[in-house]
Amino acid sequence: MDFREKVNPTVQSIADLFRDNRYRIPSYQRGYSWGIDQITDLWDDLIEVANGERDSHFFGQLVTFFAHDNRQEIIDGQQRVTTSQILLAVIKNISNETKNEAKRGLNSDNDDTSDGFAESRQIFQQSDNALDNGDRLITSKSSDEDDVQAALVNLIKNGRQLDDKKTDNEAINNMWKAYDYFARQLNAEIKTLRINDRVNRLKKIFDAFFNRFYIVKVIAPNRQDAFTIFETLNSRGADLTASDIIKSHILSLFSTNPEKTDFASHKWNQIARTLGSQSKLINKFIRSYWMAKNGHITENKLYRVISKNLNTEPEATAFLNESTNLVSLYAALIDNHEYFLDERINRILDILSKTHFTLYYPIVLALEHAKLSNDTVLRVLNKVLSVFTRYRLICDKTTNTLENAFSNVAIKIWHGDLQSAEDIVAELNQYNVSDAEVASAFSTLQKDGGLKGPKRWVLNYLLASIYFESFNLFENADEMYRTVFTNGIYSPLRINDEIEYPELRNAIGNWTIIEKNLIPGKKAATNLNAIVKVLAKSKLSINGQIADHIIDNKKRWKQTDILERQRQLGTDVPIIWH
């Protein structure tokens, strides 16, 4: 059968949408998430139609299919449908109050209220029928969904209640906020009017929404086709992120089995919760996972590549199982939380995090997936740090090549082609920069400074490593890491901020690290005499030597001093990061 014969898109008003139709939101859909921006836009559009500024309004799309109980399961459009029910609940409840007030006027022999009573009763009846006591729209059953369903039904039947209990459920809070907003706006439109004028205004607003807001509705023959339609409609960048569409694609692979769909939804939600339900982080995690297992991929091609290469239920199951096994590690990497039992591993990860280097994530995910020993992980990460330092921090090469290289290494680890530390380190060495190139680059190396952020940590890391390895200024690596990184005692200090040769101002030979409590203020930082005083107070002996040299040199720190210090610092650099 031709695809055009299987689906029949129709343009429906809100009245059509709920006339003789019942809907279900499946458990794998995200909860109600519309906020003030979306509901404000809806209300503004509604008032424009009610005021005659526009004839009608296109309210978006709805994709459904008929489930076994003759309810239409919503694949796309649940936010609009839920919001429609909330707005209709507000109209129903306010029209009921208006109807009762008009009725009281009739009982007091006020003939002017007769039309108002009849019109408000009609609005109440139509909106009430479209809601059907909350049965027009239900959610699939789970503890969270039961709470959401109960909250929606309560809004429809009773409106907002003073005794509504506070909840941590974001979907319920969003529904309450939407209801309160619509109720405030609608009351503001009618509260100052006489009863008949009030009903007329209410009728205009109700008619605008009920009869002149339109949705394009597509009823697919089955869940699989519904997912396909959804992906096609949203694959070119609507409001959805790559992770939203990937989620839809993966769930569609389980569409013939509701129990497995619930399993897949549970797995996906586990990933989302671990990453704070932040779409950007989910995208980045999926990309790192994919690069660890399958190869380099850009974020803008993520959905396209995954939908092309992941097309069976077993493949989707592997994707979900592997992702849930690795997402906690990824969350620790991006938040810089300790994950490994070996403190030495956590130290390397901390340095990489503080210097804002993330290209190695696929390698760490692959190491974890392969369940390699901590000793292997430690040796590999030491090499990753060395390659990063030589390639990026010293030689300042672009990261594109390195990102591809790390992905290639990760794939071989993931699939068992590289299993020993020796083999992995040897593979990484293929992408390393030669000693000669490192030495040459360091001789002219320049770095911006700063008292915080990655610029601070890059200088701290480079200088502290050289001070430890070449000058023995720290008792051991533990002391260096603890004082420089854990306690953050040291910060970069530019020795001469008013050098006669501006091109050497940021030269590595014009930098040192010094105790943070000795860092001078902005004015003093440009005064060489003030710098000499703080250098002399430092517990790092090399700083005292710099102070002595400046004093012996008639309080001058010249071009030749910077270049000679840079040469001395660079003597062992290719060995330190070998």
Side-chain angles (χ1 to χ4, degrees):
M1 180 184 296
D2 186 274
F3 188 78
R4 290 170 295 180
E5 298 177 21
K6 296 200 296 183
V7 297
N8 184 24
T10 58
V11 177
Q12 297 189 354
S13 65
I14 299 299
D16 297 329
L17 195 66
F18 295 118
R19 184 180 295 114
D20 301 324
N21 290 313
R22 289 184 180 356
Y23 302 94
R24 176 190 294 108
I25 300 171
S27 60
Y28 53 79
Q29 292 273 22
R30 62 183 173 184
Y32 182 67
S33 61
W34 269 25
I36 188 65
D37 290 342
Q38 290 93 339
I39 61 175
T40 299
D41 287 344
L42 188 160
W43 183 260
D44 291 344
D45 292 330
L46 175 57
I47 294 303
E48 285 184 7
V49 176
N51 290 343
E53 297 172 37
R54 284 193 283 160
D55 291 334
S56 60
H57 174 67
F58 172 60
F59 194 35
Q61 66 205 30
L62 178 65
V63 179
T64 71
F65 72 96
F66 277 100
H68 62 280
D69 57 356
N70 211 34
R71 278 190 182 272
Q72 294 178 57
E73 190 164 299
I74 299 175
I75 299 300
D76 185 28
Q78 68 112 332
Q79 304 290 334
R80 294 182 185 89
V81 174
T82 304
T83 305
S84 298
Q85 288 278 290
I86 294 171
L87 178 52
L88 285 171
V90 170
I91 292 172
K92 185 207 81 164
N93 293 328
I94 290 179
S95 66
N96 190 44
E97 295 169 3
T98 308
K99 172 176 67 73
N100 291 337
E101 184 176 343
K103 185 177 182 180
R104 287 193 293 272
L106 281 177
N107 292 337
S108 63
D109 296 327
N110 184 354
D111 292 337
D112 290 341
T113 64
S114 58
D115 290 341
F117 174 75
E119 295 286 1
S120 57
R121 181 173 60 181
Q122 184 180 23
I123 295 170
F124 171 79
Q125 290 173 339
Q126 287 182 286
S127 55
D128 187 50
N129 183 63
L131 294 164
D132 197 15
N133 287 319
D135 194 50
R136 294 289 180 193
L137 178 67
I138 67 171
T139 57
S140 295
K141 297 299 182 182
S142 75
S143 57
D144 283 348
E145 277 82 19
D146 282 346
D147 291 342
V148 172
Q149 181 67 36
L152 180 58
V153 169
N154 193 52
L155 283 178
I156 290 169
K157 289 184 175 181
N158 307 307
R160 285 283 269 128
Q161 303 295 302
L162 293 177
D163 60 350
D164 280 338
K165 295 180 180 178
K166 291 183 178 180
T167 176
D168 293 329
N169 190 302
E170 185 178 4
I172 294 176
N173 282 323
N174 287 335
M175 288 194 303
W176 284 348
K177 290 175 184 177
Y179 186 97
D180 290 343
Y181 174 86
F182 289 138
R184 284 195 307 271
Q185 298 300 318
L186 187 53
N187 278 317
E189 288 282 335
I190 66 174
K191 66 180 180 181
T192 61
L193 304 176
R194 294 172 61 86
I195 185 65
N196 283 349
D197 293 335
R198 194 183 314 167
V199 173
N200 287 336
R201 183 59 178 164
L202 181 62
K203 182 181 179 183
K204 278 190 174 183
I205 293 173
F206 170 69
D207 178 70
F209 183 65
F210 204 55
N211 296 311
R212 290 187 283 157
F213 263 52
Y214 294 101
I215 280 181
V216 171
K217 181 177 177 182
V218 179
I219 303 177
N222 53 56
R223 183 185 275 116
Q224 178 68 51
D225 286 333
F227 274 116
T228 300
I229 295 166
F230 165 75
E231 290 173 16
T232 302
L233 290 171
N234 290 285
S235 62
R236 299 231 175 247
D239 294 325
L240 300 176
T241 66
S243 63
D244 292 319
I245 305 176
I246 290 168
K247 172 186 175 182
S248 168
H249 174 73
I250 289 173
L251 294 177
S252 73
L253 300 175
F254 298 89
S255 59
T256 58
N257 189 326
E259 289 186 6
K260 289 188 176 181
T261 302
D262 288 341
F263 153 81
S265 176
H266 172 76
K267 287 285 188 179
W268 184 274
N269 290 338
Q270 183 179 337
I271 295 168
R273 282 194 302 270
T274 304
L275 297 174
S277 297
Q278 298 183 53
S279 295
K280 289 184 178 179
L281 290 184
I282 298 171
N283 292 346
K284 291 180 183 298
F285 166 63
I286 294 173
R287 179 173 181 252
S288 291
Y289 158 80
W290 195 264
M291 289 173 64
K293 182 179 180 181
N294 300 299
H296 185 267
I297 182 176
T298 58
E299 194 165 337
N300 63 342
K301 293 183 179 178
L302 194 58
Y303 165 70
R304 194 182 314 166
V305 171
I306 289 179
S307 63
K308 180 180 178 181
N309 292 279
L310 199 155
N311 288 298
T312 67
E313 185 182 302
E315 289 170 341
T317 300
F319 173 93
L320 291 168
N321 286 333
E322 290 164 356
S323 297
T324 51
N325 289 339
L326 294 171
V327 68
S328 294
L329 168 57
Y330 184 84
L333 292 175
I334 60 175
D335 292 333
N336 198 19
H337 293 157
E338 292 187 353
Y339 180 86
F340 292 93
L341 296 177
D342 192 322
E343 187 60 31
R344 297 170 297 173
I345 297 176
N346 292 325
R347 288 176 183 175
I348 296 173
L349 295 177
D350 181 42
I351 293 170
L352 290 167
S353 175
K354 282 183 165 67
T355 54
H356 282 203
F357 184 64
T358 61
L359 303 185
Y360 70 96
Y361 286 177
I363 289 180
V364 182
L365 297 181
L367 290 167
E368 179 77 354
H369 171 77
K371 302 188 185 304
L372 300 183
S373 68
N374 278 350
D375 285 341
T376 298
V377 173
L378 178 63
R379 289 185 60 186
V380 171
L381 287 181
N382 264 318
K383 176 53 65 175
V384 166
L385 181 56
S386 171
V387 172
F388 163 61
T389 304
R390 294 168 71 113
Y391 191 96
R392 182 63 179 160
L393 297 186
I394 296 175
C395 294
D396 197 28
K397 292 179 177 287
T398 58
T399 56
N400 291 345
T401 301
L402 195 59
E403 185 175 52
N404 276 286
F406 281 180
S407 177
N408 292 336
V409 174
I411 293 169
K412 293 180 180 180
I413 296 171
W414 185 287
H415 295 287
D417 299 323
L418 296 173
Q419 298 184 22
S420 69
E422 291 78 9
D423 289 343
I424 299 171
V425 168
E427 188 77 14
L428 286 168
N429 273 331
Q430 293 184 33
Y431 306 103
N432 220 339
V433 183
S434 70
D435 288 354
E437 189 174 354
V438 170
S440 175
F442 192 88
S443 68
T444 58
L445 182 63
Q446 300 203 15
K447 291 293 178 185
D448 292 332
L451 296 179
K452 59 184 180 180
K455 291 181 179 180
R456 171 199 176 190
W457 293 115
V458 166
L459 273 169
N460 271 10
Y461 168 62
L462 290 173
L463 290 170
S465 299
I466 293 170
Y467 286 0
F468 170 59
E469 296 287 354
S470 296
F471 298 94
N472 300 314
L473 296 187
F474 299 97
E475 185 176 338
N476 52 47
D478 289 346
E479 185 201 2
M480 184 199 79
Y481 176 81
R482 184 177 65 257
T483 56
V484 176
F485 289 96
T486 303
N487 299 330
I489 292 174
Y490 295 99
S491 280
L493 176 70
R494 189 180 283 110
I495 299 170
N496 190 350
D497 201 36
E498 294 187 330
I499 186 85
E500 296 175 4
Y501 304 93
E503 67 272 14
L504 292 179
R505 183 173 177 269
N506 288 329
I508 201 77
N510 197 36
W511 286 103
T512 187
I513 56 173
I514 194 170
E515 294 85 346
K516 280 201 303 185
N517 64 314
L518 295 178
I519 295 288
K522 287 185 178 181
K523 288 186 178 180
T526 62
N527 186 307
L528 191 58
N529 289 331
I531 296 296
V532 168
K533 290 179 181 179
V534 298
L535 288 172
K537 294 178 182 179
S538 175
K539 293 181 180 179
L540 290 178
S541 60
I542 198 168
N543 289 332
Q545 293 167 14
I546 296 170
D548 291 341
H549 178 84
I550 294 173
I551 293 170
D552 293 343
N553 203 25
K554 298 180 181 181
K555 294 189 176 180
R556 298 176 66 189
W557 183 252
K558 304 185 302 247
Q559 176 189 21
T560 53
D561 299 316
I562 294 173
L563 294 176
E564 174 57 22
R565 173 169 157 77
Q566 188 134 344
R567 185 195 65 77
Q568 293 175 356
L569 292 175
T571 301
D572 297 326
V573 161
I575 300 172
I576 296 171
W577 291 285
H578 57 81

